Amino acid sequence: MTRWRFAFLAGLLGLLPMLLPLTVDGSLPTVSVIPAYFQTSTASVQYSLSAAVLGIALGQLVYGPLSDRFGRKPVLIGGISLYVVTAIGCSMAASIEQLIGLRFLQGFFACSGIIVARAVIRDLFDREAAARLFALMMGIHGIMPTIAPGVSGWVTQEYGWRNVFLVMAGFGVFTVLAVLFGLAESNRTRMANAVQPSVLFRNYRTILRDRGFRSYATCACFMYGALMAYFAGAPVGLIQYLGLTPVQFGVVMAVPMVFYMGSQIAVARIAHGIGMDLMIRIGVILASIAGIGMFAFTALGIINVYTLMGPVVLMLTSFAFITPGTTAGAMSPFAGMAGTASSLLGFIQFLAAATSTAVIGVLNDGTPYPMAAVICVCTVCALTAYLTLVRRLARQASAA
């Protein structure tokens, strides 16, 4: 594959995961205004975020097997088209209950992009090259969480929260057109029985029995829990507790994402040189320092934009190191059912994320303390999973 084609593919595949941060990050500034509109609590609106993340988790189990059976491109076009419909539905919600249900569906359809994108990479590249393209793809996708809160905050402040979901629908239309005209089908060995329940459960069982998959997936899922704790808790900590406006909130949220994008690009350049195990090791050490630091600042009452967002910068930098390695490591043994492996990995990650956001909603006390506590627990657990599972696996593979 030529360098130009590789860069074009990275750009196109980087577009597909953007639906997730657009759905999650893009809705964060609305958390401060929707409660008054529907005369409900902030916790109820946070549950709508949990519903979206739960939809993302459950949707992950569907699109991989569908793409193994029918091909990557048709599943992408269908999933993103339905995303557009549900985003428009969210803009017309008449109650918080209706919004929660529609957000679940929006998340369910949003995850089609990242699941199929990962399967496309596994179709075309070996493990080390896949890790490099994963890093590039996630670095490009990082543009969306960088700009989404700011754009959403401005739209919320100037035009109202309903128009935020219309912006999401518009981006979905753009993405469908990009896939339609820019992506070639990569699934050349379609599984005729991939969506049969008996075969599907057998395939999931086969994947779960693989020790490597379990090890990498466990490490990754704790990081996704930490990430979603940040997204769920940031509106409370920054807008309600510190008093930032939606636009200021968007600007502050963009700063860590700039570091994340830079880290992803750097990781893509050094991945071949340092190897997956060292990438993950660096990542989990940085993440645990960030989690413990944020919790310490919050517990001591030293709470300001710098003590909250400084650890977040470090955590997102660590995420750039962890995600490519854990994704490539978990999926590499399953060339024949890459879509199914991608689905199961995504389900585990976002189930942890949905649990994390639900915990934030339950513990919500109007302060950043619940966010800091959950991030600390998740990042320390990610370090523990690396030391007890991933590192031991890598050592045994090296000895063999």
Side-chain angles (χ1 to χ4, degrees), residues 72-327:
R72 314 303 185 203
K73 192 168 181 177
V75 172
L76 274 175
I77 293 172
I80 300 172
S81 297
L82 290 170
Y83 172 86
V84 172
V85 173
T86 53
I88 295 173
C90 288
S91 74
M92 302 169 64
S95 66
I96 187 62
E97 292 79 15
Q98 213 175 86
L99 181 63
I100 290 173
L102 286 166
R103 289 283 282 161
F104 171 82
L105 292 176
Q106 189 187 17
F108 185 87
F109 296 124
C111 68
S112 59
I114 190 169
I115 287 297
V116 180
R118 288 195 299 224
V120 169
I121 293 174
R122 185 60 190 86
D123 289 338
L124 300 176
F125 299 97
D126 62 20
R127 189 170 82 157
E128 296 299 328
R132 180 175 176 234
L133 187 52
F134 278 132
L136 277 175
M137 180 184 76
M138 298 308 290
I140 295 167
H141 128 280
I143 295 171
M144 181 57 73
T146 302
I147 65 173
V151 173
S152 174
W154 176 75
V155 172
T156 299
Q157 188 167 293
E158 298 296 326
Y159 301 103
W161 66 269
R162 293 183 183 275
N163 287 282
V164 171
F165 293 100
L166 293 180
V167 173
M168 294 179 187
F171 183 82
V173 171
F174 172 75
T175 305
V176 167
L177 294 175
V179 170
L180 187 62
F181 295 108
L183 184 66
E185 180 59 57
S186 63
N187 184 1
R188 306 300 181 189
T189 56
R190 299 183 186 182
M191 298 172 60
N193 58 356
V195 294
Q196 291 181 8
S198 59
V199 175
L200 187 59
F201 286 118
R202 184 169 67 245
N203 289 341
Y204 282 141
R205 186 169 62 248
T206 298
I207 294 168
L208 282 172
R209 284 177 175 173
D210 185 86
R211 182 183 170 194
F213 179 89
R214 294 197 307 272
S215 299
Y216 287 110
T218 300
C219 185
C221 81
F222 284 118
M223 285 307 301
Y224 271 81
L227 183 67
M228 291 309 303
Y230 160 56
F231 288 142
V236 174
L238 295 174
I239 297 178
Q240 293 187 7
Y241 189 80
L242 294 180
L244 272 63
T245 67
V247 173
Q248 290 172 330
F249 171 79
V251 173
V252 170
M253 291 282 286
V255 173
M257 296 313 304
V258 172
F259 282 89
Y260 172 74
M261 290 174 59
S263 300
Q264 286 284 11
I265 294 170
V267 168
R269 296 181 66 87
I270 66 175
H272 279 296
I274 67 175
M276 287 195 329
D277 182 65
L278 182 56
M279 284 168 52
I280 300 171
R281 188 189 319 163
I282 293 171
V284 293
I285 292 172
L286 293 177
S288 60
I289 293 172
I292 294 170
M294 179 185 285
F295 181 77
F297 282 129
T298 306
L300 292 172
I302 309 173
I303 303 174
N304 54 54
V305 171
Y306 302 102
T307 58
L308 289 181
M309 301 309 289
V312 169
V313 168
L314 191 59
M315 183 181 75
L316 288 184
T317 299
S318 75
F319 207 80
F321 281 85
I322 295 169
T323 304
T326 54
T327 302

